[in-house]
Amino acid sequence: MFAERAMGTLARSAHSILQVMQNIEKDETDRKRLETEWGRHAAIECTLKARLLEKYREETVEMVEKFRVHFDSGMAVSCAAAACKASSDILRIAEKIVKTTSWQRFRAALRRSGVYEDLNINYEFTAPFISTIVCAWQVTLDQNVFPKTSKALERVTLHLLNEIPGACHSSSFKQIVMNRVALMFEEATSTLEALHAKVAWQIDKSRRRIATSIVPHIKDQLVEGYEKALEYEGTGSVALQKEYFIAFVGQKREIIFTDLHDFILEDLNSLADSIGDVVGNEIKLLADKIHNEMSLLWRDGFNLKSRRAIKLRETTEKFEKLLETWIDASKDIKMECAD
């Protein structure tokens, strides 16, 4: 399906190039007008590339802000509730661990930042937080959120491209320009579809990174408690270590999970920025591509009788016929498979 569509796009592109070559001399006035309004003779800020980049930047800034709002509205309340629940549960969990864990295992866990064999104090403290946010987490970081925001890029692309034929007086040349516009919009749409996959990958990568950072982040908040508890030595030190650790947790519990709440939301804001970077890089390439392809309509200095022009025409004609053969063969294969 993808290969057939790609071959169709290439065939239309080849046909468009031939049309432009056939009409270069006939439509010189329109060509110069396009060059003045959209090409290198236009003011720097008025070239097709410059106009596209300006609109793309505006839409990208708005897109990043939409992602920020989306992440905040999806996770802020859930993270706040999770922080409240986890800070309420942590003392109960700490007391249970202290009562049910032998002093040897407990002391070994203190020496290893809360982890010893199958005992992971950091995870036990974090579990209520994670279980509270899991549903909101899955919905908010749905990978299909990007296509909804990328439609604006398609709209501004089509709007600018549709302005170009207005500079043409020749109805035949205007039709060629309109065909070229349709082709470039199709390619722009394909590029944005590919961009969806890149953004989805970025979201998935960040989701995994943030999720796997939660327990280590809690561990970092508890390191002070682990280390100071170990300072108690000698007779009765085990009881003192347990007593100190429970007191430390009780004193720090709100700060620990408020900090985790902020950590997650800050990372989601960073994710929004990174999506903006990915989109920004891709749309620069897209603006270049659209401008270069459309500039075939107004580029001067092309001698149709030169060897280079003749060779280009012959090669393009052969390529167009070859693509048509491939497309027909692809259709025949599909019909055979259907039978």
Side-chain angles (χ1 to χ4, degrees):
M1 182 68 178
F2 173 79
E4 186 178 332
R5 186 172 63 177
M7 286 190 290
T9 300
L10 287 171
R12 288 189 293 276
S13 183
H15 184 69
S16 178
I17 291 172
L18 290 172
Q19 281 187 311
V20 172
M21 292 177 68
Q22 291 165 3
N23 288 274
I24 282 178
E25 293 178 349
K26 178 181 176 182
D27 301 302
E28 182 67 10
T29 302
D30 279 347
R31 187 194 64 74
K32 287 183 177 179
R33 188 176 290 110
L34 288 177
E35 173 72 9
T36 301
E37 293 187 16
W38 298 93
R40 61 189 177 90
H41 291 163
I44 294 177
E45 69 276 8
C46 294
T47 63
L48 176 57
K49 177 181 176 180
R51 295 189 209 185
L52 283 168
L53 284 176
E54 180 184 3
K55 292 296 183 182
Y56 285 165
R57 288 190 191 104
E58 291 174 1
E59 293 300 333
T60 303
V61 169
E62 187 174 340
M63 179 188 302
V64 170
E65 184 57 30
K66 284 181 179 179
F67 270 110
R68 285 178 177 273
V69 171
H70 173 75
F71 292 148
D72 188 70
S73 62
M75 292 305 302
V77 173
S78 181
C79 282
C84 182
K85 178 172 175 53
S87 64
S88 297
D89 289 355
I90 193 171
L91 266 179
R92 175 183 56 79
I93 295 170
E95 289 171 353
K96 180 181 177 182
I97 290 172
V98 165
K99 288 178 181 178
T100 58
T101 305
S102 68
W103 69 267
Q104 296 97 331
R105 283 168 56 79
F106 183 71
R107 182 172 288 178
L110 293 179
R111 287 173 178 156
R112 295 166 177 79
S113 299
V115 182
Y116 179 69
E117 295 180 343
D118 61 342
L119 174 62
N120 188 332
I121 298 173
N122 308 308
Y123 175 77
E124 294 296 331
F125 287 170
T126 311
F129 187 98
I130 294 174
S131 64
T132 304
I133 69 168
V134 64
C135 290
W137 184 257
Q138 291 173 350
V139 172
T140 302
L141 294 177
D142 181 356
Q143 295 178 7
N144 292 322
V145 68
F146 176 71
K148 300 172 186 175
T149 59
S150 69
K151 289 298 180 184
L153 293 172
E154 291 185 12
R155 286 196 297 272
V156 298
T157 301
L158 184 60
H159 178 75
L160 276 174
L161 288 174
N162 280 339
E163 288 184 19
I164 298 175
C168 303
H169 291 173
S170 164
S171 58
S172 60
F173 191 65
K174 178 179 284 188
Q175 186 59 51
I176 292 172
V177 175
M178 290 171 65
N179 292 343
R180 192 75 181 162
V181 164
L183 179 64
M184 286 316 306
F185 181 66
E186 185 178 337
E187 290 195 23
T189 302
S190 296
T191 298
L192 290 173
E193 286 176 359
L195 184 55
H196 294 169
K198 290 188 177 183
V199 171
W201 179 83
Q202 184 76 12
I203 291 174
D204 188 58
K205 182 181 74 169
S206 296
R207 174 170 59 182
R208 293 172 185 273
R209 179 185 57 77
I210 296 171
T212 55
S213 297
I214 291 176
V215 174
H217 186 80
I218 290 297
K219 182 198 76 173
D220 292 342
Q221 305 298 308
L222 295 170
V223 165
E224 180 186 353
Y226 295 138
E227 291 177 348
K228 289 194 174 181
L230 286 170
E231 292 177 4
Y232 293 96
E233 298 177 345
T235 305
S237 60
V238 173
L240 291 173
Q241 286 174 350
K242 292 181 176 182
E243 183 181 338
Y244 172 82
F245 185 68
I246 290 174
F248 174 84
V249 167
Q251 182 183 4
K252 298 286 187 178
R253 58 181 180 166
E254 290 187 6
I255 297 174
I256 289 171
F257 291 105
T258 299
D259 185 80
L260 179 59
H261 165 279
D262 295 342
F263 166 76
I264 291 174
L265 294 182
E266 286 169 8
D267 261 22
L268 289 175
N269 275 335
S270 297
L271 171 56
D273 291 336
S274 68
I275 291 172
D277 292 338
V278 170
V279 173
N281 291 333
E282 291 299 317
I283 59 178
K284 286 178 185 176
L285 298 176
L286 178 60
D288 272 334
K289 181 178 182 179
I290 292 174
H291 182 91
N292 291 336
E293 293 287 339
M294 292 299 296
S295 68
L296 289 171
L297 295 165
W298 58 72
R299 194 174 295 161
D300 60 2
F302 195 81
N303 182 2
L304 288 174
K305 296 179 181 179
S306 67
R307 288 184 180 180
R308 182 185 173 194
I310 294 171
K311 183 67 175 176
L312 176 61
R313 185 198 298 272
E314 291 175 350
T315 302
T316 305
E317 287 174 346
K318 289 179 182 178
F319 186 55
E320 182 183 24
K321 289 178 181 178
L322 181 60
L323 285 168
E324 289 173 353
T325 302
W326 286 346
I327 292 170
D328 289 340
S330 175
K331 290 178 179 177
D332 290 341
I333 292 172
K334 285 177 67 177
M335 290 178 65
E336 289 177 5
C337 291
D339 294 338

